[in-house]
Amino acid sequence: MNGSVVEHAGLWLENALHADAGDVLLTSPYLSYTECARIARAAQESTREIVLCTVLDPFAAAQGYLSVGGLRKLDAAGVALRHVDRLHAKCFIVGERGLVGSGNLTGAGLGYAAQPNREIGVELCPEQAAGLRATIEGWPAAVVSSVDLDDVEKKAHTVSPVMGRPDPADPVDVRRAAAQVLLDAQSGERELWIKVEYGEPKPEAWLDPYFFASPKSGRPGFKAGDLVLICASSTNDCYAIVEVTSEAEWKTDIPLFRGQVRDEDAIERWPWVNRTRPRLVPSHAIDYKKTDLGLRAPVRRGHVRLRLDQFTAAVRALGEDGVSPRP
């Protein structure tokens, strides 16, 4: 109904896309891969024009708030992509229907996530929707090409190891990093994991862009933006949290990994590789074990998803001030 308050923008958008044959205009600064894929499917099933306005912000892409992979999927489906500088509006127009709200085109923003944000939208009457469309179409905008997507992805990889990277020996920095990791975990946009790595704890390895490997028994479910708690198999110590920055790659052989445990035997037995960047790698000793998460049996294939409460407890343990610095 026109003027009604909408709490689940995702259902509104789904219903509008199925009920109205008119052209679609969407604005959202943040985008998740899943919601981009949902819109891409709608584009493939229709001849209508779909235009998406967003912001090609490498910092947002580095933090996982702007899915470049999702934008590529939209582009392949024929969705017209536009960059609007300083865009903050979240508006969805489908034919004569319109919704203005607070939620981005993400699972948490649209109400699909396990722990969605509390968002509010207001439905517009046809005249208001037409006026909103005219306003948005009047904003300066740049057509987004595949070259632009390559560029923002390259810039995101450049800034991601630096932005928000705390001093591992500074308790204040570590606490701030832990707080940000918790916010990201609670967004509902990322899967949370534990990854058991062979041998003793090696925190120095995770202080820079790194990687972990998975066995050949099937492509692992890690995706870019996921948060992973690192655990040492020899001691069961949980001591670092990293963010996945790439989809799984098969038998990767690139300079970043050469000389880093990737001998021929390891490549054959653990051929799937995901790249990572540091999020919380404190230099103080951590007294937090895998069993503290309630995981007593061996972790099959070396990784398993964690519940939010399990991950939260681990982050808080890593974020506490330590008393005995590591050598």
Side-chain angles (χ1 to χ4, degrees):
M1 295 176 59
N2 296 334
S4 62
V5 172
V6 176
E7 292 187 68
H8 195 307
L11 290 180
W12 184 95
L13 184 56
E14 278 192 76
N15 291 335
L17 288 172
H18 283 97
D20 197 310
D23 291 339
V24 179
L25 177 59
L26 309 171
T27 73
S28 180
Y30 291 166
L31 306 162
S32 71
Y33 183 88
T34 301
E35 301 316 316
C36 287
R38 197 189 304 273
I39 296 167
R41 286 194 296 272
Q44 291 169 335
E45 296 169 359
S46 173
T47 58
R48 77 184 88 187
E49 180 184 56
I50 300 181
V51 177
L52 169 69
C53 297
T54 190
V55 187
L56 295 186
D57 181 357
F59 292 96
Q63 292 289 348
Y65 301 129
L66 178 71
S67 172
V68 179
L71 287 170
R72 293 189 194 282
K73 196 166 187 69
L74 290 170
D75 185 47
V79 174
L81 304 178
R82 303 287 185 267
H83 166 79
V84 178
D85 192 36
R86 300 185 63 80
L87 177 72
H88 195 261
K90 296 90 175 175
C91 311
F92 312 144
I93 304 173
V94 184
E96 294 186 341
R97 301 181 65 181
L99 182 74
V100 175
S102 58
N104 285 284
L105 287 171
T106 65
L110 296 184
Y112 292 117
Q115 294 183 314
N117 298 336
R118 290 184 174 87
E119 309 279 9
I120 290 294
V122 177
E123 188 168 12
L124 307 178
C125 69
E127 292 78 11
Q128 290 173 319
L132 178 61
R133 184 188 292 272
T135 296
I136 295 171
E137 291 176 344
W139 289 340
V143 174
V144 176
S145 67
S146 59
V147 174
D148 295 321
L149 296 180
D150 291 341
D151 183 59
V152 73
E153 192 168 49
K154 183 184 299 182
K155 289 178 179 177
H157 284 307
T158 300
V159 301
S160 60
V162 176
M163 66 172 299
R165 175 175 171 176
D167 179 348
D170 185 334
V172 174
D173 268 10
V174 170
R175 286 196 295 270
R176 286 173 178 166
Q180 185 59 57
V181 168
L182 284 178
L183 285 174
D184 291 344
Q186 293 163 1
S187 73
E189 293 301 315
R190 306 163 188 257
E191 294 283 358
L192 310 173
W193 304 81
I194 183 172
K195 180 73 172 71
V196 179
E197 287 285 287
Y198 178 77
E200 302 284 330
K202 50 176 183 179
E204 66 286 345
W206 305 101
L207 287 170
D208 292 299
Y210 200 51
F211 73 100
F212 51 69
S214 300
K216 58 185 175 184
S217 53
R219 187 188 184 108
F222 302 109
K223 65 181 185 300
D226 286 357
L227 298 171
V228 184
L229 174 66
I230 303 299
C231 174
S233 63
S234 296
T235 63
N236 281 328
D237 285 309
C238 300
Y239 63 94
I241 292 173
V242 299
E243 179 178 329
V244 177
T245 60
S246 75
E247 301 299 317
E249 304 170 55
W250 175 259
K251 292 190 176 181
T252 301
D253 180 23
I254 58 179
L256 175 63
F257 302 150
R258 288 182 185 138
Q260 298 185 24
V261 205
R262 297 293 287 170
D263 56 34
E264 290 301 319
D265 180 61
I267 290 173
E268 287 300 319
R269 293 188 300 111
W270 300 79
W272 290 108
V273 169
N274 288 90
R275 310 187 200 198
T276 68
R277 72 182 184 96
R279 291 299 305 270
L280 179 59
V281 190
S283 62
H284 61 261
I286 308 297
D287 184 19
Y288 197 80
K289 304 287 187 180
K290 185 182 69 168
T291 51
D292 293 325
L293 295 165
L295 303 176
R296 301 188 180 278
V299 175
R300 184 173 175 269
R301 300 186 65 217
H303 59 269
V304 68
R305 287 181 175 86
L306 295 177
R307 301 188 310 269
L308 178 60
D309 62 304
Q310 292 174 308
F311 189 81
T312 297
V315 172
R316 286 175 174 161
L318 269 63
E320 293 175 354
D321 294 350
V323 294
S324 55
R326 290 192 180 106

